[in-house]
Amino acid sequence: MTDAQNSTSNSTATYAPQRDRIFADLSKLVSFNSPHSTPALKDEHEAACVWTVEALKDLGFEVTRYPTVDDADTIVATKPAKNGMPTVLLYSHYDVVPANDPEAWTNNPFELTERDGRWYGRGAADCKGNLAMHLEALRLVEENGGTDLGLKVVVEGSEELGGDDGLGKLIVDKPEVFEADAILIADSGNVAVGVPTLTTSLRGGAQINVTVETLKGAIHSGGFGGAAPDAAHALMVIATSLFDEHGRTTIDGVDTTAKWDGDPYDPETFRGDATVLDGVELLGTADDNPADLVWARPAVTMIGFTSTPVAEAMNAVNPRAEAQFNLRVPAGQDSAKVAEKMVEHIKAHTPWGAKVDVQVSGVNQPFSTDVEAEAVAKLGQCLKDAYGADELAVVGTGGSIPLTITLQEQFPNAEIALYGVEEPLCGIHGVDESVDPTEIEHVAIAEAMFLQQYGK
């Protein structure tokens, strides 16, 4: 038994997670190929939902399925508070991103497989691993005398869509179902295996679609190339204007120079986490820590580009080109306003009078939480105790979870914490996604400790 397993909330509690039990839960969850909004996999998505409902019922919860406008039921499992104790909401989701080509995986992505001490499968970390962690933590609580806290376990069915149309609207329509004093969102993780971590900020953002037209149709590059404006070239000029000579994002009228005030992100660690090729430099200067660029500043990424496909290339000047930009906006800035400024910037930097159309969609606001708030600080201490660590990493993430803003707006007095079983080696959303089982065990211990200490 590890030191973490001996960590106690009082002199009688001993938290001993059972790996075989966790593996069995996660194996079943991973076996469901459960992306949302894929008609051919609707039955698999439903099966994942049904299994989760039954697992929570087996733990003594009253469970209700709430339909959402995006046709993905949200599961809400509840136990009432006793003796005037506060209520804690635990969050996870049962949908996953598609595995795409299963042949690209080392093993079947829907069969949890152990290799070199890690467990592999789609959703093993994001987010079925976190769901299995919740189940184990709740068992540990019951094995150590239970809790008087009110409990709400919310398991979403369409988180990977990236929006807030389903559960978000349900929260607005039925706030009483989700009201809680502390909200623990297990959809994040540690900076490295064995390093307890709290995530205190998330970037918001938007999708920016840009279409450029310069000609009525394709024309011969021999006869007109050199004088006729090429739409693909014009779009490249626009894209280049969004970055300085060091590759840092620049948007006219927007502060893109902020510094991250939490733990730094070691550049060499970042290189490894981001799989940067040998000899390729990181963006920014020696004065820019990766944490500044990914957690504290806006960032623009061209995630799609269309002109003439190389396979169809011919000697012609392009009349039309299109790009999709993903905008990320840090806490402290307004995503809608930054998106507006980016639209203005694009129009101002469009060359040669080219016709440009800019469309903004998917706007979501950034999120931040106070690490010194009672519930957040308590969870942080429990994480340190569970790992037997002296320090707690306090980081941001460049990603977005729109749900956090909805919860913050609906329940301004609730304290919200982000944590979980994920870490950089998991490769979430990619081929051969994996999880380290010790992360599930340690985080489950921390969560169980929290549920027996908070509010006393």
Side-chain angles (χ1 to χ4, degrees), residues 96-364:
V96 294
V97 297
N100 294 323
D101 180 13
E103 296 300 319
W105 290 63
T106 303
N107 295 97
N108 182 348
F110 308 110
E111 181 179 343
L112 192 66
T113 306
E114 182 168 359
R115 297 198 308 274
D116 300 322
R118 297 184 69 89
W119 296 348
Y120 289 80
R122 173 55 83 224
D126 182 21
C127 197
K128 292 175 176 178
N130 282 303
L131 178 51
M133 179 276 295
H134 280 323
L135 295 174
E136 186 65 13
L138 292 166
R139 293 190 187 103
L140 294 178
V141 168
E142 290 307 306
E143 290 167 0
N144 285 278
T147 179
D148 285 348
L149 291 173
L151 296 176
K152 296 182 179 181
V153 184
V154 176
V155 191
E156 186 178 4
S158 57
E159 191 276 341
E160 295 294 1
L161 287 178
D164 200 24
D165 292 335
L167 177 55
K169 289 185 177 177
L170 183 61
I171 291 170
V172 173
D173 291 343
K174 297 180 179 294
E176 69 283 357
V177 172
F178 303 94
E179 188 171 5
D181 300 286
I183 299 172
L184 308 189
I185 298 177
D187 194 8
S188 182
N190 294 339
V191 295
V193 173
V195 181
T197 304
L198 281 178
T199 299
T200 59
S201 74
L202 301 166
R203 288 193 292 194
Q207 301 291 341
I208 313 289
N209 183 273
V210 181
T211 303
V212 177
E213 294 182 310
T214 54
L215 307 166
K216 291 182 178 179
I219 55 175
H220 194 277
S221 61
F224 301 99
D230 186 297
H233 184 185
L235 188 45
M236 290 177 187
V237 171
I238 292 170
T240 301
S241 75
L242 290 163
F243 306 92
D244 68 11
E245 68 272 24
H246 302 292
R248 297 173 297 191
T249 296
T250 58
I251 302 171
D252 294 346
V254 175
D255 179 14
T256 57
T257 63
K259 307 292 284 186
W260 173 249
D261 61 3
D263 292 351
Y265 201 151
D266 175 69
E268 288 307 309
T269 302
F270 180 87
R271 290 186 67 88
D273 293 347
T275 68
V276 179
L277 298 176
D278 289 345
V280 178
E281 298 177 0
L282 299 184
L283 303 183
T285 69
D287 294 328
D288 299 307
N289 186 267
D292 302 329
L293 299 168
V294 299
W295 300 335
R297 302 178 188 176
V300 172
T301 304
M302 183 190 288
I303 59 173
F305 180 90
T306 301
S307 62
T308 303
V310 172
E312 301 172 16
M314 54 184 176
N315 297 328
V317 180
N318 294 289
R320 186 180 187 277
E322 181 179 359
Q324 185 82 7
F325 293 93
N326 176 239
L327 170 67
R328 299 286 179 167
V329 178
Q333 296 189 5
D334 184 289
S335 294
K337 291 180 179 178
V338 175
E340 258 181 52
K341 289 293 185 182
M342 185 167 165
V343 171
E344 294 172 6
H345 176 110
I346 289 168
K347 291 179 177 179
H349 289 268
T350 299
W352 319 315
K355 308 302 180 186
V356 63
D357 179 70
V358 187
Q359 299 293 326
V360 178
S361 62
V363 177
N364 61 89

